[in-house]
Amino acid sequence: MSDVRHAIDDYLRLRRALGFKLRQHETALRDFARYLDRQGGPGMTTELAVAWATAPEHAHPYTWKRRLSIIRGFARYLQSLDPDTDVPSADHLAARYQRPIPFIYTQDEIRALIRAAGELTPEFRAITYQTLLGLLASTGMRVGEALRLNRADVDAHAQHLTIRSTKFGKSRIVPLHATVMQALVAYGGRRGEYMTRWPITDSFFVSIRGSRLLDPPVHRTFRRLVTGVGLSPRAGSGIPRIHDLRHSFTVATLRDWYATGQPVASQLPLLSAYLGHVNPVSTYWYLQTDPTLLRLAIERAERIPTVRP
C-alpha cells in the first residue's frame, strides 16, 4: 500500500498549500492506510472504506459519516489521477449532526472544580489546572486555544491575550479582567520557579514534565475532577464537559445583559468576536439551549411596542 501512502502525502501537501490544516484528516487517512495494509486487498474500495469508517462500534452514526467523508475527499483526489478510483457515495452512512446538550455550570460548581483542582498532586500540577480552569471559565476560550498559548501571547501590560491559529485559522485579541491577568502573572512566576529543572518551552501552560500541556490528559483530569465533586447530568443537560465552561461563560454573559437591560441584539456581534465565532448565528444558538435565556428573550420581545401601520 505504499502507493496509497504516497498519495496521502501528496493530497495533504496540496490541501495544506491551500490553507487547510487537516490534523484530524491526516490521523484518519494514515489509520485508513494501515487498515488497508491489514486487509491485504487490492486497494481502496467502497466496501473497505465503509468498513473502516464504521469500525468504532459504539460511535455515533454521525462520527461514521464524518470518517467516511474524509475518505471520500481523498478518493475524489485519487479519481482525478486515476478515473477508475472507487469513490464512496455521499448517500452511505447518512446521519445528521446533533450538538451535544451543554451542561451549564453554576458559579458554585465552577468554584468547586477549581478547589478540587487545587488538591491535585504534585503542587505545580494543581496550580496549572486551577489557572487553566479559571481562564476558561472567565473568558469562554476554547480548550485548544488555551493550550496553544505561548508566553509571548500573554501581554500583562496591555491586559490581553493574543489567540493565534484559531479553529477557523484566524487570530484575535481577548481583553482580560485585571484579576484574571493577575492570576496568569502569578502562574508565570510559579512556572518559572518550576522550570529551572527543565529546558525552557514557549508554552504558557506546561505539564509537570516541563512540556506543553496537551489536550488528552487535560480532558482525563477534568473528568476525574467532575466525578470528584459529584457532578452529573441533570434534567435538560448533557454530561459535564470541560468545553461546557465556554457555554457557561456565554450563557452567564447573556443572562447578565438581559438582567441589566443591555441592548443584547446590538452587542451579540461583539460577544461573537470575543468568542471567535465566525457568524453571530453560532452565538444565537445559546438563546435556544438555555430555558432562562429563552424566557428573558421572549419577555423582552413582548415589551417592545407594536408598530401599527
Side-chain angles (χ1 to χ4, degrees):
M1 294 300 164
S2 60
D3 289 344
V4 172
R5 295 180 190 277
H6 290 318
I8 289 173
D9 291 339
D10 293 340
Y11 172 70
L12 294 172
R13 190 180 304 111
L14 174 63
R15 294 203 63 194
R16 282 171 175 159
L18 298 174
F20 296 95
K21 294 182 179 179
L22 304 178
R23 283 190 287 265
Q24 293 182 346
H25 284 63
E26 178 173 5
T27 300
L29 288 170
R30 299 206 185 286
D31 185 68
F32 180 60
R34 289 190 292 270
Y35 175 80
L36 293 180
D37 282 341
R38 292 193 298 271
Q39 299 307 307
M44 191 181 75
T45 64
T46 292
E47 181 179 3
L48 288 174
V50 171
W52 174 84
T54 57
E57 295 182 12
H58 302 294
H60 190 279
Y62 186 79
T63 299
W64 294 342
K65 179 180 179 179
R66 187 174 57 194
R67 283 163 61 88
L68 186 62
S69 71
I70 292 174
I71 304 305
R72 287 188 68 249
F74 173 61
R76 287 197 300 269
Y77 164 76
L78 284 182
Q79 193 177 58
S80 68
L81 304 175
D82 179 3
D84 293 330
T85 299
D86 195 8
V87 178
S89 169
D91 295 332
H92 281 293
L93 308 179
R96 294 184 62 185
Y97 174 69
Q98 293 180 326
R99 285 179 182 257
I101 300 174
F103 183 98
I104 305 302
Y105 298 98
T106 66
Q107 290 301 306
D108 286 342
E109 289 169 341
I110 292 173
R111 283 191 284 266
L113 287 168
I114 293 176
R115 284 196 301 270
E119 298 174 3
L120 296 171
T121 56
E123 182 183 7
F124 180 71
R125 181 167 178 252
I127 295 169
T128 297
Y129 276 90
Q130 283 189 308
T131 308
L132 173 64
L133 296 184
L135 179 63
L136 295 175
S138 59
T139 63
M141 292 173 62
R142 300 179 180 93
V143 181
E145 292 173 343
L147 299 183
R148 287 193 298 273
L149 282 174
N150 288 330
R151 299 182 187 200
D153 297 330
V154 180
D155 190 328
H157 177 71
Q159 291 204 346
H160 68 230
L161 302 176
T162 300
I163 300 179
R164 307 179 193 279
S165 301
T166 67
K167 179 179 179 181
F168 300 100
K170 297 182 178 181
S171 297
R172 70 183 190 277
I173 300 295
V174 176
L176 298 178
H177 191 274
T179 56
V180 179
M181 182 55 75
Q182 288 168 7
L184 296 183
V185 170
Y187 173 74
R190 299 300 298 271
R191 182 193 58 216
E193 296 171 3
Y194 183 80
M195 291 291 289
T196 56
R197 71 191 78 173
W198 301 100
I200 294 177
T201 175
D202 289 334
S203 178
F204 185 80
F205 288 108
V206 298
S207 70
I208 57 174
R209 295 181 176 83
S211 57
R212 184 179 295 275
L213 199 61
L214 298 178
D215 194 79
V218 167
H219 280 82
R220 287 195 298 269
T221 299
F222 187 79
R223 285 194 293 269
R224 287 197 290 270
L225 294 175
V226 164
T227 301
V229 301
L231 294 181
S232 59
R234 45 185 169 241
S237 76
I239 299 171
R241 304 168 303 155
I242 192 169
H243 188 70
D244 291 326
L245 291 172
R246 177 174 169 84
H247 295 312
S248 301
F249 167 84
T250 308
V251 167
T253 300
L254 290 170
R255 284 179 180 175
D256 182 65
W257 284 355
Y258 276 112
T260 57
Q262 298 296 313
V264 177
S266 62
Q267 295 199 154
L268 262 177
L270 299 178
L271 181 58
S272 295
Y274 188 86
L275 293 169
H277 286 158
V278 171
N279 193 314
V281 170
S282 299
T283 316
Y284 271 107
W285 174 74
Y286 291 97
L287 295 174
Q288 306 171 32
T289 60
D290 183 71
T292 302
L293 275 180
L294 188 59
R295 186 182 68 252
L296 290 170
I298 292 173
E299 289 174 353
R300 176 169 292 191
E302 290 175 344
R303 291 197 297 270
I304 299 175
T306 301
V307 178
R308 295 184 178 180

